Amino acid sequence: MQRFLRRTCRLPRAPMRALLLALACAILAPGAARAANTLRVGAKNFTEQYVLAEITAEYLRTKGYGIDVRAGLGSTLMRSAQQNGQLDIVWEYTGTAALVYLKIPDAVKLDAPALYEKVRQLDARNGLAWLDASRLNNTYALGVPRQVAQEWQVRTISQLFAKLRAEPHGKHVFAMDAEFANRPDGLRPLGAAYGMQFDRADIKQMDPGLVYTALHNNQVTVGLIYTTDGRVRGFNIVPLEDDRHYFPNYNATPVVRREVLDRNPALAGQLNALSAALDNDAMLDMNKQVDIDGRSVHDVAADFLRTHRLP
């Protein structure tokens, strides 16, 4: 658009036409310049990502940036869009980048700092800068109804599986999505890591969202959940500690195209300040407000920014 305007506005025209064209150039050229300087924020297609994108957009607007939010994307589509220069800023998860995009061997064996550093180094070659990882770790967990956790006095996966082994004839259903039940880094190696074998009758495959409902209604004993899903808090589900560190870390991190950071020297510090304000407790509460309480993403994001003094 800018190239068109520069070329077109220099061409001679009849007086009236020239006047109209001059007015159009005066109106459109500033808009085109603003569009060129607009930061495009991407988000995936689930609540947490919508909230993160909205918080980021509203915060950066207060810093004078033009912002265009493009939400509702699948993981691989969002990744491709950023690599192709169609998105400037996204919130990505270290585990997703390591396992899905970069396919790092033995990524599940790396602790959080090592996983982050490996992802950061490899993606630098792709022109993507991983800024400071937040304390928000949206990883897998095994969850049980609060009543079960209290009655059985379990807080770790090891304690849960010890309880299940002590009742070999009890009917305790483990709910999970079909992908986790069948993939090579899913149920079977989890059982191997904790010395637990699962019979087919013990496993209930269902849509991921239905797992929370089944736990809430005491239809299953244990379910595969995400640690920051709003239904964890809203449905009184207790995430058990992964005491043998089977699940990789999925720390949410602002990822920015390097050339965008070079053009905006203050941007890294601003996004790092936002990242430092995020943790699992804050995200659980925000996701619950949207998914359970029915509040809008905009209002939840606005409340977060009002209660967190960011530079």
Side-chain angles (χ1 to χ4, degrees):
M1 176 61 77
Q2 285 181 294
R3 182 181 299 175
F4 169 80
L5 289 170
R6 285 197 299 269
R7 293 180 60 190
T8 306
C9 292
R10 288 199 297 265
L11 296 176
R13 293 287 186 271
M16 180 58 70
R17 191 175 179 187
L19 177 60
L20 293 174
L21 185 60
L23 290 172
C25 291
I27 294 170
L28 293 178
R34 284 195 297 271
N37 292 325
T38 294
L39 299 180
R40 296 158 298 178
V41 178
K44 302 183 189 184
N45 53 0
F46 55 93
T47 299
E48 180 167 299
Q49 284 276 304
Y50 291 125
V51 172
L52 288 172
E54 185 68 15
I55 290 172
T56 304
E58 291 305 314
Y59 172 55
L60 292 181
R61 284 183 182 118
T62 67
K63 300 301 177 184
Y65 299 97
I67 299 294
D68 177 15
V69 176
R70 303 180 183 184
L73 307 174
S75 290
T76 55
L77 179 59
M78 188 177 83
R79 170 73 173 190
S80 296
Q82 189 174 36
Q83 286 188 297
N84 294 334
Q86 298 168 296
L87 293 175
D88 300 315
I89 303 168
V90 304
W91 284 87
E92 191 51 87
Y93 302 92
T94 50
T96 303
L99 297 171
V100 179
Y101 310 143
L102 302 171
K103 302 187 186 304
I104 298 172
D106 297 326
V108 295
K109 298 180 180 179
L110 300 176
D111 62 17
L115 185 68
Y116 165 81
E117 187 59 28
K118 189 71 173 177
V119 167
R120 187 189 68 80
Q121 290 177 1
L122 290 176
D123 248 357
R125 304 172 190 174
N126 297 319
L128 302 178
W130 284 68
L131 302 182
D132 292 352
S134 72
R135 293 168 293 165
L136 165 55
N137 178 25
N138 187 6
T139 188
Y140 290 110
L142 300 191
V144 297
R146 185 168 300 280
Q147 181 180 354
V148 170
Q150 293 172 344
E151 289 180 358
W152 289 6
Q153 296 185 331
V154 296
R155 60 177 184 80
T156 69
I157 296 178
S158 289
Q159 290 171 341
L160 171 68
F161 286 170
K163 181 71 174 178
L164 296 181
R165 283 193 295 268
E167 299 182 5
H169 302 297
K171 184 171 178 58
H172 301 298
V173 179
F174 187 173
M176 67 193 68
D177 61 82
E179 180 186 4
F180 187 81
N182 297 293
R183 74 188 194 198
D185 63 339
L187 177 63
R188 185 171 296 177
L190 171 67
Y194 280 94
M196 183 71 185
Q197 291 185 333
F198 302 98
D199 295 330
R200 183 170 299 181
D202 299 328
I203 306 303
K204 179 74 171 178
Q205 297 182 31
M206 60 180 66
D207 181 90
L210 295 179
V211 172
Y212 300 91
T213 303
L215 287 166
H216 180 57
N217 294 333
N218 292 302
Q219 295 169 306
V220 299
T221 305
V222 56
L224 182 76
I225 62 173
Y226 295 100
T227 50
T228 59
D229 192 291
R231 289 164 291 189
V232 170
R233 181 162 292 175
F235 289 172
N236 284 316
I237 297 168
V238 176
L240 299 177
E241 179 188 342
D242 179 16
D243 51 308
R244 296 193 182 178
H245 308 290
Y246 173 75
F247 295 116
N249 282 270
Y250 286 79
N251 290 102
T253 307
V255 181
V256 188
R257 292 195 300 117
R258 171 51 61 185
E259 62 182 82
V260 173
L261 286 181
D262 292 341
R263 291 200 310 265
N264 300 278
L267 183 59
Q270 291 159 344
L271 289 173
N272 283 337
L274 178 54
S275 185
L278 293 164
D279 57 24
N280 276 28
D281 191 59
M283 200 72 240
L284 266 168
D285 185 58
M286 288 189 286
N287 286 338
K288 174 184 174 294
Q289 289 182 56
V290 175
D291 288 334
I292 305 297
D293 302 336
R295 298 192 68 204
S296 71
V297 169
H298 173 78
D299 288 347
V300 170
D303 282 352
F304 177 86
L305 292 171
R306 275 194 294 270
T307 56
H308 290 76
R309 295 186 176 276
L310 299 176

